[in-house]
Amino acid sequence: MKKLLSFILVFAISSGISGCGGFGDPTISVEQDVITNVSSETMSEDTSSQEEEEAGPIFDFNSWELRLVNPWNSIPEDFELQLATITSPYAGFAGASFDARAIEPLHALCADAKAAGINLTIISAYRTNEFQTNNFERKVNNVMAADPSLTREEAEAKAATVVARPGTSEHQVGLAVDFNSVEDSFKNTKEYAWLVENCTKYGFILRYTEEKQDITGIIPEPWHYRYVGVEAAKIMKEENLCLEEFIEKYNVTAADDTSSEAVQ
Ligand SMILES: [Zn+2]
């Protein structure tokens, strides 16, 4: 089909049917032939990627590991926490806990990092609503102290780009951890480089980047990693999608199926 199209177009050009002038000059025909081939290649690539998408993986966005929690999506009241204690060599504080269903990959990530000479300490993991409320209040007070001209509402909005409002933090569902340091300089460490390179193998993603800040609503946080499962994490990394973009792209079934719980 491609050859036939090329042939017809080249024939049309070289016989002057195209009317674009310059026929008789062999260079024009060669260039046109190249362009024709390129465009038909592109067309066939587009078609195959569409086919791949249709037959691609299906994700359940109501499942525990893919639950979207962000400034616009609070934790549902019926969300069931399943927590387990993080092993002491990796937990930076007593009683640090994480989702029991993902604690093995978290421990494996920390152990493999250690074996590679990378020291990771978890400085924040699961947080209660009370903890997050105190955290948020402290941030709002700091923002207001730094700029007394702000109203409470304005200060809250500014604080929320740094500390999630209570009920909208991934830490509250036990699926996020902060490693080593909540300083921007963490981005310059070998620990950060190792995490970015390897975290998807264990089902984790770097959740908040500068590039996606407009979509996530949260400032870049090189220390914050979220568990989503290996398959989803790999696709997000390969396609450079944040969780919001990934859900928008792969949530085809929920949107098409009106009986789905996702519609509620
Ligand atoms: Zn965090």
Side-chain angles (χ1 to χ4, degrees):
M1 184 60 182
K2 195 177 84 182
K3 278 185 183 162
L4 181 63
L5 269 173
S6 299
F7 173 76
I8 292 167
L9 280 162
V10 170
F11 173 76
I13 291 157
S14 50
S15 35
I17 297 168
S18 69
C20 55
F23 49 86
D25 178 353
T27 14
I28 302 284
S29 294
V30 170
E31 281 170 9
Q32 292 289 352
D33 188 29
V34 169
I35 292 163
T36 310
N37 274 321
V38 168
S39 63
S40 47
E41 289 279 359
T42 313
M43 278 166 64
S44 62
E45 268 174 27
D46 282 355
T47 315
S48 64
S49 70
Q50 273 167 15
E51 280 164 7
E52 273 167 29
E53 270 175 35
E54 280 161 20
I58 292 171
F59 295 96
D60 175 6
F61 290 99
N62 289 314
S63 64
W64 61 274
E65 77 269 40
L66 286 170
R67 177 75 68 168
L68 178 64
V69 177
N70 70 7
W72 307 278
N73 293 273
S74 305
I75 302 161
E77 280 181 16
D78 63 350
F79 188 84
E80 281 183 34
L81 280 168
Q82 289 189 31
L83 296 173
T85 306
I86 299 169
T87 310
S88 60
Y90 311 120
F93 58 102
S97 52
F98 197 68
D99 191 295
R101 295 158 290 195
I103 201 149
E104 266 185 42
L106 178 63
H107 283 155
L109 179 152
C110 294
D112 290 352
K114 197 172 170 58
I118 301 295
N119 284 314
L120 298 176
T121 304
I122 293 161
I123 56 168
S124 185
Y126 166 68
R127 294 177 193 160
T128 62
N129 192 60
E130 188 188 3
F131 185 97
Q132 190 67 22
T133 303
N134 291 338
N135 227 2
F136 184 69
E137 280 303 312
R138 203 178 314 123
K139 189 69 195 172
V140 173
N141 290 337
N142 289 345
V143 169
M144 289 182 94
D147 184 355
S149 71
L150 295 177
T151 63
R152 165 88 197 178
E153 205 179 334
E154 287 166 342
E156 279 192 11
K158 196 171 178 188
T161 65
V162 183
V163 177
R165 290 178 193 269
T168 70
S169 170
E170 291 185 333
H171 285 282
Q172 288 182 252
V173 287
L175 292 170
V177 284
D178 295 341
F179 287 111
N180 291 26
S181 157
V182 289
E183 299 286 338
D184 288 340
S185 57
F186 182 59
K187 205 168 179 176
N188 305 320
T189 63
K190 65 181 185 349
E191 283 78 18
Y192 170 78
W194 189 92
L195 280 166
V196 169
E197 179 68 28
N198 295 288
C199 70
T200 54
K201 294 174 196 165
Y202 305 88
F204 286 82
I205 53 163
L206 170 64
R207 180 69 173 93
Y208 307 119
T209 63
E210 192 171 1
E211 186 191 350
K212 308 290 184 183
Q213 186 174 344
D214 288 347
I215 305 166
T216 63
I218 305 288
I219 58 157
E221 292 192 356
W223 54 83
H224 180 109
Y225 294 79
R226 152 81 196 251
Y227 185 81
V228 291
V230 172
E231 198 178 2
K234 285 190 171 170
I235 291 174
M236 278 184 244
K237 189 179 184 188
E238 277 165 19
E239 300 188 20
N240 187 30
L241 303 171
C242 65
L243 183 56
E244 286 80 0
E245 292 173 308
F246 175 73
I247 291 173
E248 197 178 330
K249 181 168 179 184
Y250 286 92
N251 201 14
V252 185
T253 37
D256 290 349
D257 179 4
T258 49
S259 67
S260 167
E261 282 177 27
V263 179
Q264 292 172 12

